[in-house]
Amino acid sequence: MRRRSPRRLLGVLAAVTVAFTLFGSTSTAGAADRAPAAKSAAAAAVTPLSTSTPVVFVHGYTGNASNWVTAMSVFQLNGWSSSKLFAYEYNSYGNNVTNAQGLASFVNNVKARTGASKVAIVNHSMGGLVSQYYLKVLGGNTSVSHLASIAGANHGTTFAGACLIYTTCQQMYPGSSFISQISAGDETPGDTRYATWYSACDGVILPYTSTRLSGATNNNVLCQTHIGYLADTVVLGQIARFVAS
């Protein structure tokens, strides 16, 4: 029997690994309604992912662009070019109105740089507040095709009580005028597709259901910590496929 070369065996292994990464859809996240497994698998096999939309990542309180290293790697595995992936940084101790205005300028720059008419936004934690203010109050939904909120503080968190010396934490506390403004009326305005990922094991977003948005596809992750999401390649893969849908 002819022996396969080590190089050929490695190539086969790599191909199988990439295929599993791109098309595997089972995970600990499970609240959103899904089509039957066989139908989903067949669709994934024949429908290529649409990866032309630029993605803007928005970090959480005290975060920075480095929070998105794993996420960007997952998006690249799912077909995105690194030239279509951007991380927005803002002042965690300033004012989320100013931070949202900065996000608006950042998105406009990304659109001009890439020639795209819309971007997708993926946020984490307090980045949910920045994103929601941009989409709802500043009218940014017309420039956003998809919004994915990972453990977003979308209705506030009592955890912010530990840092109320800062305006951003005051705004992040449940019942603040800032949260009242972004949650009043339609929480998912425009033609943007919205989805959230939240978990009872979060530990920082309290209550953990604060992340859910009315009108969004809300995915209840079985058990993931607040920071753990940033390295959760399964959830991040789901988000990449959501943005590509």
Side-chain angles (χ1 to χ4, degrees):
M1 180 183 297
R2 185 176 62 175
R3 298 178 60 187
R4 293 182 177 179
S5 69
R7 178 177 297 176
R8 185 174 180 186
L9 286 172
L10 286 173
V12 171
L13 255 166
V16 170
T17 301
V18 170
F20 179 80
T21 301
L22 293 179
F23 301 119
S25 59
T26 57
S27 75
T28 55
D33 292 338
R34 294 185 176 84
K39 184 176 180 180
S40 297
V46 299
T47 306
L49 294 178
S50 176
T51 59
S52 60
T53 302
V55 182
V56 174
F57 296 91
V58 184
H59 65 74
Y61 181 70
T62 73
N64 55 54
S66 67
N67 292 164
W68 300 110
V69 170
T70 301
M72 288 188 177
S73 295
V74 170
F75 270 71
Q76 288 182 66
L77 281 173
N78 279 275
W80 267 265
S81 163
S82 60
S83 63
K84 293 291 183 69
L85 303 174
F86 303 86
Y88 170 60
E89 293 189 314
Y90 60 87
N91 180 8
S92 291
Y93 311 105
N95 187 312
N96 281 322
V97 173
T98 303
N99 294 335
Q101 292 168 341
L103 177 58
S105 296
F106 190 86
V107 168
N108 286 338
N109 289 336
V110 168
K111 288 167 59 181
R113 179 173 172 178
T114 61
S117 60
K118 293 187 177 184
V119 305
I121 288 180
V122 177
N123 67 56
H124 177 246
S125 194
M126 193 172 76
L129 300 187
V130 177
S131 303
Q132 287 300 106
Y133 194 93
Y134 165 56
L135 266 73
K136 181 168 183 174
V137 181
L138 302 182
N141 62 82
T142 58
S143 292
V144 180
S145 63
H146 296 72
L147 181 133
S149 187
I150 310 170
N154 299 324
H155 295 95
T157 172
T158 57
F159 199 84
C163 56
L164 291 178
I165 187 175
Y166 300 114
T167 300
T168 47
C169 289
Q170 295 169 20
Q171 294 169 329
M172 190 163 45
Y173 199 81
S176 72
S177 59
F178 183 94
I179 288 175
S180 295
Q181 189 173 11
I182 63 174
S183 60
D186 188 359
E187 292 188 340
T188 53
D191 296 328
T192 304
R193 295 187 62 186
Y194 296 79
T196 73
W197 281 259
Y198 67 104
S199 174
C201 298
D202 187 294
V204 172
I205 302 302
L206 304 171
Y208 72 96
T209 53
S210 171
T211 296
R212 295 172 58 94
L213 291 171
S214 178
T217 299
N218 297 297
N219 299 279
N220 188 359
V221 180
L222 182 61
C223 192
Q224 184 53 276
T225 63
H226 191 67
I227 300 301
Y229 280 110
L230 299 176
D232 189 331
T233 57
V234 173
V235 169
L236 293 171
Q238 292 176 354
I239 293 168
R241 290 188 288 276
F242 162 71
V243 172
S245 63

